[in-house]
Every structure is written in structure tokens, then in C-alpha cells.
Amino acid sequence: MREQFDNIIDVTLACPDNVESPFKDMFVGRMQRIVVKVNVLSVDDQVLGDYFGDKQFKRQFQLWLGDLWNKKDKELDKLYSE
């Protein structure tokens, strides 16, 4: 991946004022606010490896990705509770 990309763009979208039906609200013009959070992540050893051929790398990558999603969930929980 490093040969093609230097960074990973991590984007989180939230619609804190339209929790019940954000897509419907967007289509009918009732969207109040959209929050966009963008993080730039380095392409480093955590994301470089043979996902399909190296079980240890695959497990480490899954843990890294799971941690990223947990952080996103915490950010969203904080946004939605404000």
C-alpha cells in the first residue's frame, strides 16, 4: 500500500439533530446539521502486510481497525449526547 498511498483519510459523518431518520430527513429537506470529522492516518507498519497470507498480521490489523471503530463510536456518542 505504501507504494501507492502515503496516508489514509478517515472520515466520520454524523447527523446529531436528525437521529431518528437522517436519510429520510436529508431527502425531504429537514436535515438540520451534518458534522464531518476528518483524520489523516499514516500508512505505517500497522496497515502494511499480507492480510490474506499472514495470520498474525491479519489479527493485528483487525485489532487496529477495531480500535479505530471504537474511537469513532466514542466520538459519535459524545456528539449525540451534546
Side-chain angles (χ1 to χ4, degrees), residues 16 18 20 26 29 31 33 36 43-46 51-52 54 57 63 65 69 76 80:
N18 300 82
E20 293 298 319
M26 181 177 60
M31 182 60 62
R33 171 174 63 126
V36 180
V43 173
D44 59 18
D45 291 338
Q46 293 186 85
Y51 186 83
F52 296 105
D54 182 346
F57 171 76
L63 290 170
L65 190 59
W69 280 101
L76 289 171
Y80 287 126

Side-chain angles (χ1 to χ4, degrees), residues 6-81:
D6 294 323
N7 298 300
I8 299 168
I9 306 296
D10 168 27
V11 179
T12 304
L13 301 173
C15 307
D17 301 326
N18 300 82
V19 177
E20 293 298 319
S21 55
F23 294 109
K24 179 182 175 186
D25 289 345
M26 181 177 60
F27 288 122
V28 298
R30 288 191 302 235
M31 182 60 62
Q32 299 294 315
R33 171 174 63 126
I34 298 174
V35 178
V36 180
K37 300 230 176 195
V38 179
N39 293 315
V40 178
L41 307 174
S42 297
V43 173
D44 59 18
D45 291 338
Q46 293 186 85
V47 297
L48 294 172
D50 183 359
Y51 186 83
F52 296 105
D54 182 346
K55 287 185 179 185
Q56 183 177 359
F57 171 76
K58 182 177 182 175
R59 182 67 185 136
Q60 174 271 316
F61 181 83
Q62 289 173 341
L63 290 170
W64 172 83
L65 190 59
D67 184 52
L68 181 64
W69 280 101
N70 285 333
K71 289 176 183 175
K72 285 175 165 286
D73 286 341
K74 287 178 184 175
E75 279 185 50
L76 289 171
D77 287 344
K78 183 180 176 186
L79 249 170
Y80 287 126
S81 67

